[in-house]
């Protein structure tokens, strides 16, 4: 894919917006999303609206027009005090603006009257950061005059801190804004519906305060897009910090000295450069420079060091990373880097859209169809690995009750060892592996099928036998098709010892699983918690070389045909083991743990 580019993960932005909305809502604060940091990209604006944000704010009229023209369905707030020369456009194109000059508000009123509009305003109060805002002592005087203007609706007051001077929005500052609001309401007998306390930098105040007073609104950009709290630069819990990733390509990679050779004058930007002597290093040049992005705001994902940058080049010490000419190098971005990258016409904006449930399910079903075709033709070279009962192990496991009497939870020896290692990893996390099912005889498999079919017949008496078997076969393999008959398949879930419950996987209530499309492992419409828990379960098994079933997040295969197909093996190692075979083996070796074949 083309470079330099910025990968924009819409689903991560949506997650951050929803998480922050819910958090602030818990104390009665609504959020406005500020789009100036992403140049009001319409796809991003749309995902913010889809995530529940009602008002979008930008510092530029052009950006707001761009969103309007793209059909973004939101109210729009202009957050930079309007230019008096643009007052007419503000009234015509924008619903609401932040204001700090009476002369501008008067002009807005004039045009509102001419065009028969009501323009909403928030009056900004200066609380110490020394950017926009009316001095508190002048506020009542101004408001008295504003209230007499026609075409203008005073919607509220606000303040902006932590920008020009980095002044913290402390509890005192917020209490002051609250008390100013209360005094104005009393004095003028009006109701201010919006008290806008600030921006992303208000996060720490919000987290530590019990009483937010009259503050009922915040305007957030950075924390939604980058998941950081700007005053300390610390990540905000539960948010993504990599919704945006900048990618550049290596155009030269050579071993060169870490210090230049020759007399040193000024560099391309008029600075005198300094160099640290690290001997000979692996120097790489990336095709991206300060013309494209504020390079000081980039953090590499790899263990490399940015040595410096010119207009069109970034020079890095590639250290021990596996890079070559043509490799992509990725960076996360700080706010300055995000703004400049989004503004650069040289950087391709690569929007990564969350896949819809319908599209995802269609892909899974197509994969499953292909998988079944391949499993029908893949050969088995039975390697006679013995079966062994997980119940006889000393691993920390929970066994889900089986419909099969005297069920022994048999697996192949290698699988047994893998389960042992997985259970140990979970022990360290205060969790326990639940084994739902392992080797199953044909008879056992038939029982499961019949049980499900009976259940569905009762639930949907109008459905025909064919329709019922079609539904059942989407989730339960017919007698002779299940990989459970090989001893290489395991069904597993995870129990949380601290919370004393089965983890939430999105379609389960404890051990009971509802069989539906949301059981497809990476279904997009399950909760973040369920996604995280599925990831944990799948990683444990995949790290042990199992493959997860296409349709069931709890089913894992190793060594059998299901596994061989997914791993592009020439043949499977574990074939079907019939009931009679396993029983005679058990009879022949009654006191052995292993059922030798
Ligand atoms: C930029 C801006 C914001 C948003 O600030 P973030 O730090 O990105 O949350 C809010 N209000 C005003 C007035 C702004 O200029």
């Amino acid at each position: 894919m083309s470079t330099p580019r910025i990968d924009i993960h819409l689903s991560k932005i949506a997650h951050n917006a929803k998480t922050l909305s819910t958090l602030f809502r818990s104390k009665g604060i609504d959020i406005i999303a500020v789009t100036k940091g992403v140049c009001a990209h319409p796809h991003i604006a749309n995902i913010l609206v889809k995530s529940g944000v009602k008002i979008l704010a930008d510092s530029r009229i052009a950006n707001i027009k761009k969103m309007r023209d793209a059909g973004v369905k939101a109210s729009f707030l202009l957050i930079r005090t309007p230019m008096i020369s643009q007052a007419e456009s503000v009234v015509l194109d924008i619903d609401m603006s932040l204001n700090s000059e009476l002369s501008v508000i008067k002009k807005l009123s004039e045009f509102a009257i001419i065009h028969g509009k009501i323009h909403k305003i928030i009056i900004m109060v200066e609380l110490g950061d020394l950017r926009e805002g009316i001095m508190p002592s002048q506020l009542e005087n101004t408001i008295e005059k504003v209230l007499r203007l026609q075409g203008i609706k005073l919607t509220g007051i606000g303040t902006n801190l932590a920008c020009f001077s980095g002044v913290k929005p402390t509890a005192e500052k917020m209490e002051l804004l609250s008390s100013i609001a209360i005094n104005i309401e009393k004095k003028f007998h009006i109701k201010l519906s919006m008290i806008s306390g600030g921006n992303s930098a208000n996060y720490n105040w919000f987290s530590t305060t019990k009483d937010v007073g009259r503050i009922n609104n915040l305007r957030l950009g950075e924390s939604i897009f980058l998941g950081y709290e700007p005053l300390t630069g610390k990540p905000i819990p539960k948010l993504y910090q990599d919704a945006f990733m900048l990618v550049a390509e290596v155009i030269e990679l050579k071993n060169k000295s870490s210090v230049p050779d020759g007399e040193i004058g000024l560099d391309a930007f008029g600075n005198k450069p300094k160099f640290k002597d690290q001997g000979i290093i692996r120097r790489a040049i990336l095709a991206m420079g300060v013309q494209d992005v504020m390079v000081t705001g980039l953090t590499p994902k790899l263990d490399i060091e940015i040595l410096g940058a010119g207009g069109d080049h970034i020079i890095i010490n590639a250290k021990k990373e596996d890079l070559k000419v043509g490799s992509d190098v990725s960076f996360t971005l700080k706010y300055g880097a995000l703004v400049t990258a989004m503004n650069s016409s040289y950087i391709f904006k690569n929007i990564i859209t969350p896949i819809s449930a319908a599209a995802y399910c269609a892909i899974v079903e197509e994969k499953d169809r292909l998988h079944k075709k391949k499993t029908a033709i893949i050969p088995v070279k039975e390697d006679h690995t013995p079966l062994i009962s997980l119940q006889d192990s000393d691993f920390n496991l929970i066994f889900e009750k089986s419909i099969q009497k005297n069920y022994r939870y048999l697996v192949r020896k290698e699988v047994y060892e893998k389960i042992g290692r997985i259970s140990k990893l979970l022990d360290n996390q205060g969790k326990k592996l639940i084994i739902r099912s392992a080797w199953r005889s044909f008879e056992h498999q038939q029982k499961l099928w019949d049980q499900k079919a009976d259940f569905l017949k009762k639930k949907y008496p109008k459905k025909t036998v064919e329709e019922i078997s079609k539904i059942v076969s989407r989730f339960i393999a017919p007698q002779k098709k299940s990989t459970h008959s090989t001893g290489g398949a395991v069904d597993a879930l995870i129990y949380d010892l601290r919370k004393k419950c089965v983890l939430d996987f999105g379609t389960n209530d404890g051990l009971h699983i509802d069989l539906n499309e949301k059981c497809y492992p990476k279904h997009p419409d399950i909760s973040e918690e369920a996604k995280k828990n599925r990831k944990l379960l799948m990683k444990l098994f995949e790290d042990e070389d199992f493959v997860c079933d296409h349709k069931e997040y709890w089913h894992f295969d190793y060594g059998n045909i299901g596994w061989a197909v997914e791993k592009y093996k020439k043949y499977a190692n574990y074939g079907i083991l019939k009931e009679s075979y396993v029983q005679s083996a058990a009879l022949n070796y009654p006191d052995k743990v292993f059922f030798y074949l």
Side-chain angles (χ1 to χ4, degrees):
M1 188 176 282
S2 74
T3 49
R5 68 168 189 275
I6 184 161
D7 288 339
I8 303 168
H9 297 270
L10 291 186
S11 57
K12 293 187 179 182
I13 298 171
H15 168 84
N16 285 3
K18 282 186 207 159
T19 308
L20 287 170
S21 287
T22 311
L23 175 74
F24 285 111
R25 201 52 244 158
S26 70
K27 293 183 195 169
I29 291 181
D30 286 323
I31 66 167
I32 290 174
V34 178
T35 53
K36 67 182 184 208
V38 294
C39 283
H41 197 295
H43 279 48
I44 301 175
N46 274 325
I47 201 80
L48 292 167
V49 174
K50 241 179 139 180
S51 310
V53 174
K54 299 271 187 307
I55 306 177
L56 296 178
D58 206 287
S59 43
R60 287 156 202 265
I61 298 175
N63 279 354
I64 291 177
K65 272 190 177 162
K66 179 161 87 179
M67 290 190 276
R68 271 245 151 90
D69 292 347
V72 176
K73 292 197 170 46
S75 291
F76 292 99
L77 166 71
L78 183 68
I79 50 173
R80 185 171 65 188
T81 313
M83 295 180 216
I84 199 161
S85 61
Q86 293 186 335
E88 185 164 20
S89 177
V90 172
V91 166
L92 287 176
D93 298 317
I94 289 157
D95 307 292
M96 182 158 54
S97 56
L98 303 185
N99 283 274
S100 58
E101 283 294 350
L102 186 59
S103 58
V104 175
I105 303 172
K106 280 184 176 159
K107 228 4 171 220
L108 293 172
S109 160
E110 268 176 41
F111 284 113
I113 294 166
I114 291 173
H115 294 291
K117 295 228 172 203
I118 301 288
H119 183 74
K120 294 185 207 159
I121 64 164
I122 306 279
I123 291 194
M124 296 301 275
V125 188
E126 166 62 56
L127 290 185
D129 199 56
L130 299 178
R131 206 179 71 182
E132 74 274 33
I134 292 171
M135 296 306 293
S137 57
Q138 297 299 311
L139 194 62
E140 288 186 2
N141 190 354
T142 308
I143 286 185
E144 192 178 349
K145 292 186 176 119
V146 166
L147 289 174
R148 284 199 229 115
L149 296 173
Q150 287 176 40
I152 294 290
K153 163 101 185 107
L154 177 64
T155 302
I157 61 168
T159 194
N160 196 59
L161 296 165
C163 269
F164 183 69
S165 316
V167 170
K168 289 184 185 173
T170 54
E172 289 82 42
K173 297 282 183 198
M174 290 301 109
E175 279 159 24
L176 179 57
L177 187 65
S178 275
S179 69
I180 291 173
I182 292 166
N183 286 341
I184 285 169
E185 288 183 333
K186 256 197 210 141
K187 173 148 180 138
F188 297 103
H189 306 289
I190 53 170
K191 171 97 184 104
L192 296 172
S193 56
M194 194 184 281
I195 313 299
S196 191
N199 51 44
S200 294
N202 281 54
Y203 176 81
N204 284 339
W205 158 76
F206 176 85
S207 312
T208 49
T209 190
K210 281 210 181 67
D211 180 8
V212 297
R214 282 295 315 277
I215 313 298
N216 63 4
N217 177 275
L218 290 172
R219 312 171 302 272
L220 307 181
E222 182 165 1
S223 51
I224 296 179
F225 298 129
L226 299 178
Y228 285 103
E229 186 287 302
L231 283 176
T232 58
K234 280 196 189 133
I236 295 175
K238 298 198 183 127
L239 297 194
Y240 289 109
Q241 282 76 42
D242 58 356
F244 296 82
M245 293 289 295
L246 194 62
V247 184
E249 191 175 312
V250 176
I251 52 172
E252 185 192 296
L253 179 67
K254 294 189 195 305
N255 289 333
K256 291 186 187 176
S257 169
S258 47
V259 285
D261 177 20
E263 280 176 43
I264 308 293
L266 299 183
D267 68 10
F269 299 107
N271 304 311
K272 181 131 191 176
K274 287 202 182 78
F275 302 93
K276 189 168 66 184
D277 190 354
Q278 308 180 63
I280 298 290
I281 54 172
R282 288 177 74 222
R283 294 175 80 101
I285 303 178
L286 307 181
M288 183 163 71
V290 297
Q291 265 204 88
D292 305 284
V293 63
M294 184 194 271
V295 174
T296 49
L298 297 180
T299 312
K301 285 293 265 188
L302 298 172
D303 179 25
I304 57 177
E305 185 192 351
I306 298 177
L307 298 170
D312 306 293
H313 304 82
I314 295 176
I315 319 290
I316 62 170
N317 177 357
K319 297 189 185 169
K320 297 198 177 97
E321 292 291 352
D322 179 25
L323 292 177
K324 44 183 179 297
V325 170
S327 295
D328 281 352
V329 178
S330 304
F331 301 87
T332 54
L333 304 95
K334 302 222 171 75
Y335 195 68
L338 177 68
V339 177
T340 48
M342 288 303 291
N343 249 304
S344 168
S345 58
Y346 300 114
I347 293 179
F348 172 62
K349 315 297 181 300
N350 181 32
I351 297 277
I352 300 166
T353 342
I355 187 166
S356 74
Y360 170 72
C361 291
I363 292 170
V364 169
E365 268 139 39
E366 177 60 14
K367 266 196 190 160
D368 193 57
R369 212 176 52 76
L370 279 176
H371 179 89
K372 285 204 177 101
K373 249 186 171 171
K374 288 188 195 157
T375 52
I377 53 168
I378 196 155
V380 179
K381 269 200 212 170
E382 176 59 58
D383 73 359
H384 301 286
T385 311
L387 279 177
I388 177 168
S389 169
L390 283 168
Q391 277 180 321
D392 293 340
S393 73
D394 55 3
F395 311 146
N396 268 325
L397 299 171
I398 296 171
F399 295 95
E400 184 178 333
K401 208 166 167 295
S402 172
I403 56 165
Q404 186 74 355
K405 276 210 191 88
N406 303 321
Y407 190 55
R408 303 263 294 133
Y409 304 88
L410 300 173
V411 291
R412 300 278 187 146
K413 187 165 174 278
E414 284 162 311
V415 172
Y416 177 93
E417 285 157 3
K418 288 171 184 293
I419 297 285
R421 287 190 291 269
I422 291 173
S423 77
K424 286 227 169 60
L425 287 176
L426 284 174
D427 287 345
N428 299 334
Q429 303 179 26
K431 298 190 177 79
K432 231 174 173 176
L433 195 67
I434 302 170
I435 304 294
R436 310 186 61 211
S437 195
W439 175 79
R440 297 205 285 253
S441 63
F442 287 165
E443 177 211 3
H444 184 172
Q445 189 67 21
Q446 188 65 44
K447 259 192 206 166
L448 288 175
W449 171 282
D450 293 344
Q451 187 193 38
K452 193 78 204 166
D454 286 346
F455 170 80
L456 287 173
K457 251 182 252 161
K458 279 194 198 111
K459 199 165 168 194
Y460 307 104
K462 289 211 184 101
K463 286 202 192 291
T464 64
V465 177
E466 287 77 40
E467 282 169 330
I468 295 281
S469 22
K470 209 172 155 196
I471 302 173
V472 178
S473 63
R474 285 177 76 159
F475 294 98
I476 299 178
Q479 222 198 60
K480 295 184 181 165
K481 291 277 166 62
S482 168
T483 53
H484 278 282
S485 63
T486 64
V490 180
D491 290 347
L493 294 175
I494 298 172
Y495 188 84
D496 190 324
L497 292 166
R498 273 171 237 152
K499 293 188 193 146
K500 295 200 171 62
C501 62
V502 181
L503 291 185
D504 171 15
F505 292 97
T507 60
N508 66 314
D509 179 5
L511 287 170
H512 174 78
I513 295 179
D514 264 338
L515 294 182
N516 58 49
E517 285 177 342
K518 289 192 179 165
C519 295
Y520 298 179
K522 292 182 179 163
H523 198 285
D525 293 349
I526 58 170
S527 69
E528 288 305 314
E529 180 66 22
K531 280 182 192 165
K532 194 182 86 195
N533 292 337
R534 283 189 192 184
K535 230 185 208 167
L536 169 70
L537 180 67
M538 287 162 67
K539 183 163 181 351
L540 285 167
F541 277 86
E542 285 170 358
D543 284 354
E544 283 290 347
D545 203 26
F546 284 88
V547 294
C548 183
D549 188 81
H550 288 303
K551 292 183 158 185
E552 304 177 337
Y553 57 82
W554 60 87
H555 179 113
F556 298 95
D557 284 306
Y558 176 79
N560 56 32
I561 51 172
W563 170 84
V565 165
E566 290 305 308
K567 295 272 177 180
Y568 301 100
K569 304 281 179 190
K570 287 203 188 76
Y571 53 84
N573 307 324
Y574 304 163
I576 289 169
L577 301 174
K578 288 195 184 148
E579 171 88 25
S580 52
Y581 211 37
V582 172
Q583 258 181 10
S584 68
L587 284 177
N588 289 340
Y589 303 92
D591 50 347
K592 287 242 165 70
V593 179
F594 294 119
F595 293 106
Y596 288 103
L597 297 168

